[in-house]
C-alpha cells in the first residue's frame, strides 16, 4: 500500500487549504475497515496527530486545530481529506496520512505534503 498526500502549498495566515490523501494498492474493504488519520511534523519535532476518523465516523481533533480543521473520507475513492481553515503560522509542517488498526499505524508513511503558512 502506498499513501500519497497532496494539496499542500504556501498560504497566508487566515487562508485555507484542502489536503487529500489517496491510498493505492489497497482493496476497498481494507480501506473501509481502517480508521484513518492525519498527522503533521514540524521541523525538528516528532510527528503529531492532527485528526482521526474511525471507520464508523467518530472523529477526534487535536486541541490546536479544533474548530478550524475538518477531516473526511471517501471510501469509494480510497481517499481521506483534511480541510484546513483559518490557518496559522504554527500550522506550518509536513502533513501525512495513515491507516490505523488496533492502535497501530498500518502503512509506510510516504513523503507527505508541505504546508507553509506565512504571517
Amino acid at each position: 500500500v502506498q499513501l500519497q498526500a497532496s494539496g499542500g502549498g504556501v498560504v497566508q495566515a487566515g487562508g485555507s487549504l484542502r489536503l487529500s490523501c489517496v491510498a493505492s494498492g489497497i482493496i476497498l474493504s481494507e480501506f473501509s475497515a481502517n480508521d484513518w488519520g492525519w498527522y503533521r511534523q514540524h521541523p525538528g519535532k516528532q510527528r503529531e496527530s492532527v485528526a482521526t476518523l474511525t471507520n464508523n465516523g467518530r472523529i477526534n481533533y487535536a486541541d490546536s486545530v479544533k474548530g478550524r480543521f475538518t477531516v473526511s473520507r471517501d471510501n469509494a475513492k480510497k481517499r481521506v481529506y483534511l480541510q484546513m481553515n483559518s490557518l496559522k503560522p504554527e500550522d506550518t509542517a509536513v502533513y501525512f496520512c495513515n491507516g490505523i488498526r488496533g492502535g497501530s499505524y498500518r502503512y509506510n508513511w510516504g513523503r507527505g505534503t508541505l504546508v507553509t503558512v506565512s504571517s
Side-chain angles (χ1 to χ4, degrees):
V1 176
Q2 290 189 325
L3 303 174
Q4 180 63 55
S6 61
V10 180
V11 63
Q12 288 190 330
S16 298
L17 285 172
R18 189 191 192 210
L19 306 184
S20 175
C21 177
V22 61
S24 59
I26 187 173
I27 60 175
L28 180 57
S29 59
E30 180 177 338
F31 184 95
S32 301
N34 286 339
D35 300 339
W36 286 91
W38 280 97
Y39 306 85
R40 66 186 181 188
Q41 188 166 18
H42 296 98
K45 296 191 177 181
Q46 288 191 332
R47 191 176 289 123
E48 63 182 19
S49 176
V50 175
T52 56
L53 174 55
T54 69
N55 59 8
N56 60 6
R58 189 169 69 249
I59 296 174
N60 284 297
Y61 294 103
D63 288 343
S64 58
V65 307
K66 281 180 181 176
R68 301 189 298 121
F69 290 11
T70 303
V71 62
S72 60
R73 61 194 287 171
D74 186 333
N75 289 338
K77 294 183 179 179
K78 302 175 189 176
R79 284 183 178 269
V80 187
Y81 302 98
L82 186 67
Q83 177 67 44
M84 306 188 297
N85 299 328
S86 302
L87 282 161
K88 304 176 180 180
E90 51 264 43
D91 295 318
T92 294
V94 179
Y95 285 72
F96 305 83
C97 75
N98 212 326
I100 310 157
R101 190 87 64 89
S104 298
Y105 304 121
R106 300 214 67 197
Y107 313 112
N108 291 330
W109 285 97
R111 293 193 299 175
T113 186
L114 176 62
V115 172
T116 303
V117 184
S118 61
S119 56

